[in-house]
């Protein structure tokens, strides 16, 4: 159950961080306006709180593990939102990052 909660929090963090950054990008670089950018800033602010709900008490571990989710989530976001076509190396790299995330976050530890 803790792994499911942790995984859900990582997904929520990715949606907020990647989505927030994407909204800022759209607002500024794609000239969609400051309302888009403001929405992105709000999402990025909310992202900052999500890690505090992770069951693991070690900030460094949570943030390092989240890096794997960020990499894979960024590729997936760009596939859905921007029509990006990842090649086999993008996918391989994302899978390696996810494997590293799982080891960092959920490997059995003594004490």
């Amino acid at each position: 159950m803790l792994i499911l909660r942790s995984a859900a929090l990582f997904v929520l963090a990715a949606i907020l961080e990647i989505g927030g950054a994407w909204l800022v990008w759209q607002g500024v670089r794609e000239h969609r306006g400051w309302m888009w950018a403001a929405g992105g800033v709000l999402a990025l602010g909310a992202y900052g709180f999500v890690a505090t709900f992770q069951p693991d008490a070690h900030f460094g571990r949570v943030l390092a593990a989240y890096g794997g989710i960020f990499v894979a989530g960024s590729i997936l976001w760009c596939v859905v939102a921007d029509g990006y076509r990842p090649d086999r190396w993008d996918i391989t790299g994302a899978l390696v990052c996810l494997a590293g995330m799982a080891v960092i976050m959920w490997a059995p530890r003594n004490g």
Side-chain angles (χ1 to χ4, degrees), residues 7 10-11 13-14 17-18 47 60-76 90-106:
F10 278 136
V11 169
E17 184 183 19
I18 299 163
Y47 151 76
R61 180 178 297 144
V62 169
L63 199 59
Y66 171 68
I69 298 294
F70 179 81
V71 169
S74 295
I75 290 173
L76 181 61
D90 294 327
I91 294 168
T92 300
L95 291 173
V96 168
C97 289
L98 288 173
M101 178 280 305
V103 170
I104 291 169
M105 197 66 191
W106 302 321

Side-chain angles (χ1 to χ4, degrees), residues 1-7 9-10 50-58 62 105-106:
M1 191 61 157
L2 284 179
I3 290 177
L4 288 176
R5 177 177 178 222
S6 177
L9 287 167
F10 278 136
V50 173
T52 65
F53 298 110
Q54 281 287 348
D56 193 292
H58 297 74
V62 169
M105 197 66 191
W106 302 321

Side-chain angles (χ1 to χ4, degrees), residues 3-90:
I3 290 177
L4 288 176
R5 177 177 178 222
S6 177
L9 287 167
F10 278 136
V11 169
L12 177 59
I15 290 168
L16 291 170
E17 184 183 19
I18 299 163
W22 184 82
L23 286 169
V24 170
W25 181 281
Q26 294 299 310
V28 176
R29 298 266 317 228
E30 302 298 327
H31 309 290
R32 293 197 174 179
W34 289 104
M35 292 301 288
W36 283 67
V41 168
L42 290 173
L44 288 165
Y47 151 76
F49 287 93
V50 173
T52 65
F53 298 110
Q54 281 287 348
D56 193 292
H58 297 74
F59 174 77
R61 180 178 297 144
V62 169
L63 199 59
Y66 171 68
I69 298 294
F70 179 81
V71 169
S74 295
I75 290 173
L76 181 61
W77 184 279
C78 291
V79 166
V80 173
D82 291 329
Y84 176 69
R85 303 287 303 207
D87 64 19
R88 67 180 177 190
W89 299 113
D90 294 327

